[in-house]
Amino acid sequence: AGPYYVVGEFLRSNVIESEYCDGVPLFLEVQYVDVASCEPVPVAAVDIWNANATGVYSGISVSGNEAADGVNSTYLRGVQITDHDGVVQFETIFPGHYQGRATHTHLLTHTNATVMPNGTISVWNAPVAHIGQLFWPETLRSAVEATYPYNTNTQDVTSNEEDMWSVLQADASFDPFPQYVYLGDKVEDGIFAWIQIGVNASVDYSTDDYYGVAGYLGEDGGHALDSGIGGGGEGGEGGAGGPPPSGAQRGMMP
């Protein structure tokens, strides 16, 4: 679960834009496996999003997270389609922290998403197979946040132990912490991280209380929805927001 999911983001593996994306490069590889068959889950649409180094999300405009361009901003957001091995790859940055939450990266996965002839993706009627967050070890977070611009983030740090979700989700059979290696001698050189996620590809969580849609990206820019921001964070839990007005969804362009 998690706040600030926006439907209609760009179909791209590199979600780093020219503004508001300074930080430690993070190359993330995720494999999705069906828990019923132990087979990879191909052709699933995976959204990724996280706060930037100073703890601000794009695509939204709410108290405490005012993106510079509000709902029209798209930095550190994107969608990829899993390959035949159920794998997606993203180039992003290590997320910054914000008050009340441990450092985390959001993932949300639709199965049976429709790839349109123009290369866009329609997910409004596609089942939601996974809503989740990746967490990061405190040692890694500390190393990253000693660097610029993370060290300019003035929001209070919340540890993994203090977070409302990470401890509840971690147990002997489930580990929401990716494995990782440095790509150079120091953390500023970048991080390669990977994780395998088991999903039930036959279920649909689109009516679950934890599935909240904060907005959508239309042909005329970003739009906020009144449904709330989804589970977690100071905004609390919210339900699904429903589709935008007919013809309003913006395609996720390569």
Side-chain angles (χ1 to χ4, degrees):
Y4 310 142
Y5 171 56
V6 175
V7 174
E9 298 295 345
F10 293 109
L11 178 64
R12 58 185 182 179
S13 61
N14 187 343
V15 300
I16 298 174
E17 296 184 359
S18 60
E19 292 187 296
Y20 318 118
C21 293
D22 292 340
V24 172
L26 173 65
F27 300 86
L28 178 65
E29 185 171 285
V30 184
Q31 182 184 38
Y32 291 85
V33 175
D34 192 327
V35 296
S37 64
C38 292
E39 295 294 326
V41 180
V43 200
V46 180
D47 271 89
I48 191 172
W49 70 102
N50 57 256
N52 70 2
T54 55
V56 179
Y57 284 91
S58 67
I60 50 93
S61 184
V62 300
S63 178
N65 268 292
E66 296 91 352
D69 298 318
V71 296
N72 293 315
S73 56
T74 59
Y75 59 84
L76 303 178
R77 292 179 179 269
V79 182
Q80 277 289 280
I81 306 297
T82 57
D83 63 16
H84 66 283
D85 290 319
V87 174
V88 288
Q89 297 173 325
F90 288 102
E91 182 177 351
T92 181
I93 67 167
F94 190 87
H97 71 269
Y98 57 96
Q99 188 170 355
R101 288 302 321 280
T103 300
H104 59 280
T105 299
H106 294 277
L107 295 171
L108 191 147
T109 305
H110 289 87
T111 54
N112 299 321
T114 301
V115 180
M116 308 302 286
N118 63 353
T120 65
I121 300 173
S122 176
V123 298
W124 283 107
N125 296 315
V128 177
H130 176 256
I131 308 167
Q133 300 174 19
L134 305 181
F135 296 91
W136 303 95
E138 295 290 347
T139 52
L140 179 60
R141 181 194 60 76
S142 297
V144 169
E145 294 199 334
T147 69
Y148 179 85
Y150 297 91
N151 56 13
T152 68
N153 187 346
T154 59
Q155 300 188 66
D156 292 337
V157 173
T158 299
S159 70
N160 287 318
E161 290 186 356
E162 296 168 329
D163 185 70
M164 67 179 72
W165 298 118
S166 61
V167 173
L168 296 177
Q169 296 186 52
D171 59 28
S173 62
F174 176 73
D175 183 359
F177 294 85
Q179 299 181 70
Y180 69 92
V181 294
Y182 284 10
L183 292 175
D185 294 331
K186 54 186 185 300
V187 72
E188 293 97 318
D189 296 329
I191 301 164
F192 175 65
W194 66 97
I195 194 169
Q196 187 180 65
I197 297 177
V199 299
N200 186 338
S202 65
V203 302
D204 182 8
Y205 293 113
S206 61
T207 60
D208 193 282
D209 287 342
Y210 287 128
Y211 179 58
V213 180
Y216 66 93
L217 198 59
E219 292 289 352
D220 55 347
H223 297 263
L225 294 176
D226 296 330
S227 64
I229 59 173
E234 294 181 352
E237 299 174 5
S246 177
Q249 184 178 4
R250 175 179 179 177
M252 293 171 279
M253 303 304 294

